[in-house]
């Protein structure tokens, strides 16, 4: 769905502003150096999840805090390491990276309760405690959708689907 839809000009401006703001405040650029799924970097993944989450909210006219939705989605995988690195393997990354991302984000930027919840619970049900806010549920679902697509795109390229 997110590929066919375009954000309204107002929401695209908000998205660009929030992205720029976080790039200046934190270490988002560091995410460009680590692969997330397939051939997609953590940065590309996070930007994709944030954009798709906002598109979903706009399309369905959901009453959400759009700035918190974008910020939480951009920071949901703010773990700042390459979990594929065989020299320093990160066992059970899927279970533990939300806590690492939350700790890193909390050190770099001030988080709202919604942003905190998005980052901490985006891996539900692996995190056991379900999301509290609609914004968190949106990012949780979109993250899984984007992750699956990114992983399958690489496999399709390798296997010539």
């Amino acid at each position: 769905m997110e590929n066919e839809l375009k954000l309204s000009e107002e929401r695209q401006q908000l998205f660009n502003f929030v992205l720029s703001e976080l790039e200046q405040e934190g270490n988002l650029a560091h995410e460009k150096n680590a692969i997330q799924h397939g051939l997609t970097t953590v940065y590309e993944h996070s930007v994709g999840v944030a954009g798709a989450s906002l598109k979903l909210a706009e399309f369905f006219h959901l009453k959400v805090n759009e700035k918190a939705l974008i910020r939480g989605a951009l920071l949901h995988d703010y773990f700042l390491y390459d979990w594929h690195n065989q020299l320093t393997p990160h066992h059970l990354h899927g279970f533990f990276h939300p806590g690492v991302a939350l700790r890193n984000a909390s050190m770099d930027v001030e988080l709202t309760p919604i942003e905190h919840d998005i980052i901490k619970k985006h891996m539900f049900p692996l995190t056991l405690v379900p999301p509290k806010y609609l914004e968190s549920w949106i990012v949780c679902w979109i993250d899984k959708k984007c992750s699956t697509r990114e992983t399958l795109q690489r496999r399709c390229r390798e296997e010539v689907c």
Side-chain angles (χ1 to χ4, degrees), residues 91-157:
H91 300 292
L92 302 174
H93 169 78
F95 291 92
F96 296 111
H97 80 269
V100 175
L102 180 58
R103 185 178 66 241
N104 290 340
S106 296
M107 289 190 299
D108 287 351
V109 299
E110 190 171 327
L111 299 172
T112 67
I114 293 172
E115 295 160 2
H116 183 279
D117 196 67
I118 289 170
I119 298 166
K120 185 175 182 180
K121 298 175 184 170
H122 77 273
M123 288 299 291
F124 179 77
L126 295 182
T127 55
L128 299 180
V129 180
K132 179 177 181 179
Y133 302 99
L134 177 58
E135 293 87 345
S136 306
W137 280 107
I138 292 169
V139 173
C140 183
W141 183 75
I142 292 292
D143 178 51
K144 287 162 183 53
K145 181 181 181 301
C146 289
S147 298
T148 301
R149 185 184 67 235
E150 293 160 5
T151 301
L152 293 177
Q153 280 177 338
R154 178 180 182 188
R155 290 205 176 122
C156 284
R157 275 186 238 134

Side-chain angles (χ1 to χ4, degrees), residues 17-83:
F17 174 78
V18 172
L19 177 59
S20 175
E21 190 176 66
L22 282 179
E23 285 177 334
Q24 292 172 21
E25 291 178 31
N27 277 316
L28 280 183
H30 183 76
E31 293 183 339
K32 294 178 181 180
N33 301 320
I35 296 297
Q36 177 66 325
H37 308 108
L39 301 173
T40 305
T41 67
V42 178
Y43 179 87
E44 292 167 332
H45 169 74
S46 297
V47 169
V49 169
S53 295
L54 188 57
K55 288 175 189 175
L56 180 91
E58 181 177 29
F59 182 80
F60 287 107
H61 306 285
L62 301 175
K63 300 228 184 276
V64 297
N65 180 324
E66 293 177 350
K67 186 173 182 182
L69 176 69
I70 298 165
R71 283 174 52 95
L74 288 171
L75 295 169
H76 81 280
D77 279 339
Y78 198 67
F79 45 83
L80 305 177
Y81 59 78
D82 185 349
W83 63 277

